[in-house]
């Protein structure tokens, strides 16, 4: 078994680094409750050995896992779900109804992901997807509740980052597992002011109005902590919600102003570096490029795709 990088948080929550792209980039979470376990997101096929090792380190067996809760079916979150489910005989996968068919039959998802990442990149990042048998999948309705060993979880449909996204509210403890709805927070950028957050507009379903509505909806639960896939626990939610909203408005302005990729990327980079400086981050520009370069590329591609969709819509009406 490999050695997992785990971080233990309050309320029986553990983050497991999925070793995707680099350490500190993506975390799946394990929730422990009354001797049972649930995974929130899985990372990729290559993450699965780390997840099973983390479970072992917590002193739990694969048979103790009741649920694999997928926030959405982007492959950095759910690419390993089929493979993980094979190792967990008692687990049910809980998925947004728009995402579930793609986990049962991944062909379309693979094609769409290759379009975003390119063929070679796709193989090295994700490998061969394992389908999840339909009878092991449960889909959610908005605000549906799930009793996990006596711990009530509420699923909130949160479009904006992706149409197939739900967030998971841990009602009794005031935590929310936000997937990508509440952006990303690399801990290298933590300062005395707290965490630094950026929205993710990955292709192809970014919708600024929906994303702002979803951020507001989650903030309205007044959670004490959010657990992000990128990267784990953040607090001070009202400040982060304001920053998300501000940046989404800025992205829209930047995308409309330039309409083409290099200029959008350059101005988003300038925006982030300026915000980081004001946040008190002392990392150098080359270090920040290393941290945020991939996200600048993906966010730019997502904004271009959004502009193209908006144009199509206006031509059709
Ligand atoms: Zn995503």
């Amino acid at each position: 078994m490999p050695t997992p990088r785990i971080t233990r948080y309050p309320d029986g929550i553990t983050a497991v680094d999925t070793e995707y792209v680099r350490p500190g980039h993506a975390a799946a979470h394990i929730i422990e409750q009354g001797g049972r376990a649930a995974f929130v997101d899985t990372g990729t096929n290559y993450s699965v050995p780390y997840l099973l090792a983390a479970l072992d380190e917590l002193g739990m067996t694969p048979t103790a896992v009741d649920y694999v809760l997928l926030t959405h079916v982007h492959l950095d979150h759910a690419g390993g779900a089929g493979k993980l489910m094979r190792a967990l005989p008692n687990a049910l996968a809980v998925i947004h109804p728009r995402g579930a068919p793609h986990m049962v039959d991944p062909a379309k998802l693979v094609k769409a992901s290759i379009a975003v990442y390119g063929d070679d990149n796709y193989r090295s990042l994700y490998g061969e997807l394992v389908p999840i048998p339909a009878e092991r999948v449960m889909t959610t309705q908005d605000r549906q509740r799930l009793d996990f060993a006596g711990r009530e979880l509420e699923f909130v449909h949160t479009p904006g980052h992706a149409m197939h996204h739900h967030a998971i509210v841990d009602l009794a403890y005031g935590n929310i597992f936000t997937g990508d709805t509440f952006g990303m927070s690399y801990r290298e950028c933590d300062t005395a002011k707290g965490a630094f957050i950026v929205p993710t507009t990955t292709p192809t379903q970014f919708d600024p109005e929906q994303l702002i509505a979803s951020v507001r909806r989650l903030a309205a639960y007044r959670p004490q902590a959010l657990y992000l896939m990128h990267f784990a626990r953040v607090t001070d939610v009202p400040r982060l919600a304001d920053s998300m909203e501000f940046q989404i408005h800025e992205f829209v302005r930047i995308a409309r102003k330039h309409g083409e990729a290099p200029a959008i990327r350059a101005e988003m980079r300038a925006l982030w570096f300026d915000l980081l400086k004001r946040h008190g981050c002392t990392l150098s520009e080359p270090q920040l490029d290393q941290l945020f370069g991939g996200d600048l590329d993906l966010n730019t591609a997502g904004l271009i795709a959004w502009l193209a969709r908006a144009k199509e819509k206006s031509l059709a009406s």
Side-chain angles (χ1 to χ4, degrees):
M1 266 190 187
T3 305
R5 272 179 252 259
I6 66 175
T7 312
R8 305 203 64 166
Y9 294 110
D11 312 331
I13 297 168
T14 300
V16 188
D17 198 311
T18 62
E19 307 294 334
Y20 176 69
V21 181
R22 63 167 186 270
H25 180 66
H29 289 89
I30 298 172
I31 315 173
E32 286 176 82
Q33 176 68 20
R36 308 300 298 169
F39 279 99
V40 179
D41 287 332
T42 67
T44 72
N45 282 318
Y46 305 117
S47 311
V48 171
Y50 295 96
L51 302 188
L52 295 172
L55 201 60
D56 186 61
E57 201 160 311
L58 297 178
M60 305 190 93
T61 63
T63 55
V65 179
D66 289 337
Y67 295 108
V68 173
L69 313 171
L70 300 176
T71 59
H72 63 305
V73 303
H74 284 162
L75 296 185
D76 52 332
H77 294 250
K83 187 173 173 191
L84 182 65
M85 288 290 288
R86 282 194 177 167
L88 308 175
N90 300 322
L92 203 60
V94 184
I95 315 174
H96 188 289
R98 283 177 180 262
H102 301 295
M103 290 278 96
V104 174
D105 176 8
K108 257 171 93 178
L109 189 59
V110 171
K111 212 175 143 199
S113 304
I114 289 174
V116 172
Y117 293 97
D119 206 16
D120 288 350
N121 254 336
Y122 171 81
R123 301 277 157 216
S124 66
L125 287 171
Y126 305 115
E128 210 63 52
L129 293 201
V130 177
I132 303 176
E135 63 275 14
R136 297 189 67 192
V137 172
M138 178 189 141
T139 58
T140 63
Q141 292 180 331
D142 188 34
R143 304 212 57 191
Q144 182 170 336
R145 290 188 179 181
L146 177 74
D147 177 355
F148 163 50
R151 185 164 177 165
E152 220 171 5
L153 304 176
E154 182 164 288
F155 292 84
V156 187
H157 287 192
T158 54
H161 172 76
M163 296 293 288
H164 45 88
H165 203 302
H166 55 206
I168 302 147
V169 184
D170 181 14
L171 290 167
Y173 294 93
N175 302 307
I176 305 183
F177 297 87
T178 56
D180 281 345
T181 298
F182 229 97
M184 315 181 283
S185 181
Y186 300 135
R187 307 335 288 265
E188 294 89 335
C189 304
D190 282 14
T191 68
K193 291 183 178 170
F196 176 79
I197 210 157
V198 294
T200 158
T201 67
T202 315
T204 55
Q205 298 180 332
F206 168 65
D207 183 299
E209 281 164 28
Q210 287 182 336
L211 188 55
I212 286 172
S214 291
V215 164
R216 286 184 181 169
R217 208 174 156 204
L218 295 182
Y221 279 87
R222 297 179 177 276
Q224 52 121 349
L226 306 176
Y227 289 85
L228 319 177
M229 179 93 192
H230 313 279
F231 191 83
R233 185 179 197 262
V234 294
T235 56
D236 198 5
V237 177
R239 176 179 63 84
L240 299 180
D242 286 349
S243 182
M244 284 288 293
E245 210 168 305
F246 168 75
Q247 290 184 63
I248 295 162
H249 283 302
E250 281 293 284
F251 288 3
V252 164
R253 183 188 62 75
I254 291 167
R256 287 198 177 126
K257 175 175 148 195
H258 298 292
E260 49 96 22
I264 292 173
R265 188 188 193 280
E267 196 170 341
M268 193 188 305
R269 179 179 177 276
L271 170 72
W272 282 359
F273 286 18
D274 178 53
L275 289 173
L276 279 157
K277 213 167 162 189
R278 285 195 265 158
H279 188 64
C281 171
T282 56
L283 295 178
S284 68
E285 291 206 353
Q287 285 172 318
L288 292 177
D289 276 320
Q290 186 94 29
L291 272 184
F292 290 101
D295 298 314
L296 286 168
D297 291 341
L298 273 177
N299 271 10
T300 301
L303 290 175
I304 294 283
W306 166 68
L307 283 174
R309 278 202 322 280
K311 198 168 162 194
E312 249 169 55
K313 244 194 221 162
S314 73
L315 288 176
S317 63

